[in-house]
Amino acid sequence: MMRYYSIGMNLNDVITDKDIEQVILENIRRCSNIVGKSFKVVFWHVNLTEQECKDFVKRNEHLLFEVNTKITKIKEDVWFLIGEGKGKDKAGRYRFDGDILNGISEYIKIINHIKKRDGE
């Protein structure tokens, strides 16, 4: 069974600023390149319209189809959760309460540590 090193974040926070959105997505691509086939990104959203989600996918389809991506209304259990630390209903094995870019940076540190530990 393949273990996914999934990362989850709130899509509402990603799409608030188009410049930051691109930086976040480039960092997600970097994560995918580091982790490989076992990488997955889960974007959950709160009260975004179907059109807002479609617009996000259309703007970023080149990257979203390159990486294993899921967009959902429900916050799912992921391996590494960024933000939303208030609700303990869904969690990640690892959790980062803060902004997305710093969270991705922490994710990469943990992944690099695991790869070094496992001798990859």
Side-chain angles (χ1 to χ4, degrees):
M1 185 174 127
M2 180 182 284
R3 166 192 241 158
Y4 279 98
Y5 293 103
S6 56
I7 186 170
M9 62 195 71
N10 189 324
L11 183 57
N12 300 60
D13 296 338
V14 174
I15 66 172
T16 54
D17 177 333
K18 300 299 179 263
D19 293 331
I20 297 295
E21 177 180 304
Q22 290 308 305
V23 174
I24 289 169
L25 291 172
E26 285 304 319
N27 277 280
I28 287 171
R29 174 185 278 139
R30 185 169 166 229
C31 292
S32 178
N33 290 337
I34 292 169
V35 175
K37 290 186 187 321
S38 60
F39 178 77
K40 180 179 184 179
V41 62
V42 178
F43 296 106
W44 77 88
H45 65 88
V46 180
N47 298 325
L48 288 180
T49 65
E50 185 178 340
Q51 191 59 51
E52 287 172 306
C53 293
K54 284 182 177 179
D55 290 346
F56 170 74
V57 170
K58 187 174 175 114
R59 272 194 312 275
N60 302 295
E61 63 186 336
H62 61 283
L63 183 131
L64 297 176
F65 291 119
E66 191 178 301
V67 221
N68 187 356
T69 305
K70 182 172 187 178
I71 299 174
T72 179
K73 289 182 182 177
I74 301 158
K75 190 187 331 173
E76 297 183 357
D77 283 331
V78 291
W79 187 78
F80 189 95
L81 178 67
I82 298 175
E84 301 295 316
K86 299 162 272 299
K88 301 296 184 205
D89 53 330
K90 293 284 182 181
R93 177 167 182 179
Y94 297 97
R95 162 179 248 129
F96 180 83
D97 293 328
D99 71 86
I100 292 174
L101 290 174
N102 285 324
I104 291 172
S105 176
E106 288 302 309
Y107 173 87
I108 290 171
K109 285 180 192 172
I110 292 171
I111 289 295
N112 284 333
H113 173 76
I114 289 170
K115 289 183 127 208
K116 191 183 298 180
R117 179 195 72 196
D118 294 347
E120 290 183 31

